[in-house]
Amino acid sequence: MTEPFLEIKDLTVAYGENVIMHDVSFTVNTEDVFIIMGGSGCGKSTLLTVLTGLKRPVKGTEVFAGKPFWGNGAQKNDRDMSMRKAGILYQSGALWSSMTLAENIALPLEQYTDLTPAEIRDIVALKLDLVGLGGFQDYYPAEISGGMKKRAGLARALALDPQIVFFDEPSAGLDPISSKNLDDLILQIKENLHTTIVMVTHELPSIFAIGTNSIYLDARTKTVIAHGDPNELLKNPPNETIEHFLTRGKK
């Protein structure tokens, strides 16, 4: 039976008095490809910062792999230890421009493990091979394409063998072919490494191709107005907002 990996209950997020979302509840099961979707300005990326410990919610709880993360007496040390099980791919890739791809991927291994330099080199080569960038160890980010930067960022996100990987608009700025290739790679990683995926995106091809579960954040009501398999939501939209979003108003 599938077990919950993230459990979010009654989450409210705000910047000062400006409430971004309220009473948000959902569960991400182990090995889900969980999509956080919604229109511009609904707070998708802000929610991701809460899920990854970068922003504190006003209220609500988050349980991360069975451990308190926000609320229920969770402490910063609890969040730090939980995030050792996670990887993050930011929208731009967020690679250090002054470092080679090998140096970028080696950085978390150098900071959080006691591996020898030779062991780290082997792992770096393995992670680059995994994302289709074998042989590019000595390239700098400025010397590779946008799609390759995303793949290199993913290799770094996978450096510590995380149980869950968070993606913030991974297809942003990519052409359709590169976007499709990245989707295929994400599925391959999920299936081969049994990794749980949480992805912020508004790209319908990605949502329908790889999403197994989802929530829709509504900018007007500032809360979740739909959840479930995106393909099932397309077949049976619970309201006009979801139907318009998933069909881009073509129905």
Side-chain angles (χ1 to χ4, degrees), residues 102-119:
E103 290 168 340
N104 267 279
I105 298 162
L107 191 59
L109 293 163
E110 292 168 347
Q111 290 186 328
Y112 297 114
T113 75
D114 296 322
L115 296 171
T116 66
E119 290 170 330

Side-chain angles (χ1 to χ4, degrees), residues 67-107:
K67 304 290 185 181
F69 193 84
W70 291 120
N72 291 334
Q75 303 296 317
K76 184 179 184 301
N77 186 59
D78 298 327
R79 291 188 289 277
D80 290 345
M81 293 305 295
S82 291
M83 286 308 296
R84 297 285 180 90
K85 303 174 183 177
I88 307 175
L89 176 59
Y90 296 99
Q91 186 175 140
S92 64
L95 298 170
W96 294 99
S97 60
S98 60
M99 293 181 173
T100 65
L101 301 191
E103 290 168 340
N104 267 279
I105 298 162
L107 191 59

Side-chain angles (χ1 to χ4, degrees), residues 35-39 42 214-219 223-227 233 239 241-242 245-246:
I35 308 294
I36 299 172
M37 56 186 180
C42 69
S214 71
I215 57 169
Y216 183 93
L217 277 174
D218 181 51
T223 193
V224 172
I225 62 170
H227 58 85
L233 292 177
N239 52 61
T241 300
I242 303 303
F245 179 85
L246 293 178

Side-chain angles (χ1 to χ4, degrees), residues 12-21 46 50 55-59:
T12 293
V13 182
Y15 290 102
E17 296 183 357
N18 181 25
V19 174
I20 306 301
M21 66 193 73
T46 297
V50 175
K55 179 172 176 57
R56 179 181 294 275
V58 173
K59 74 176 185 70

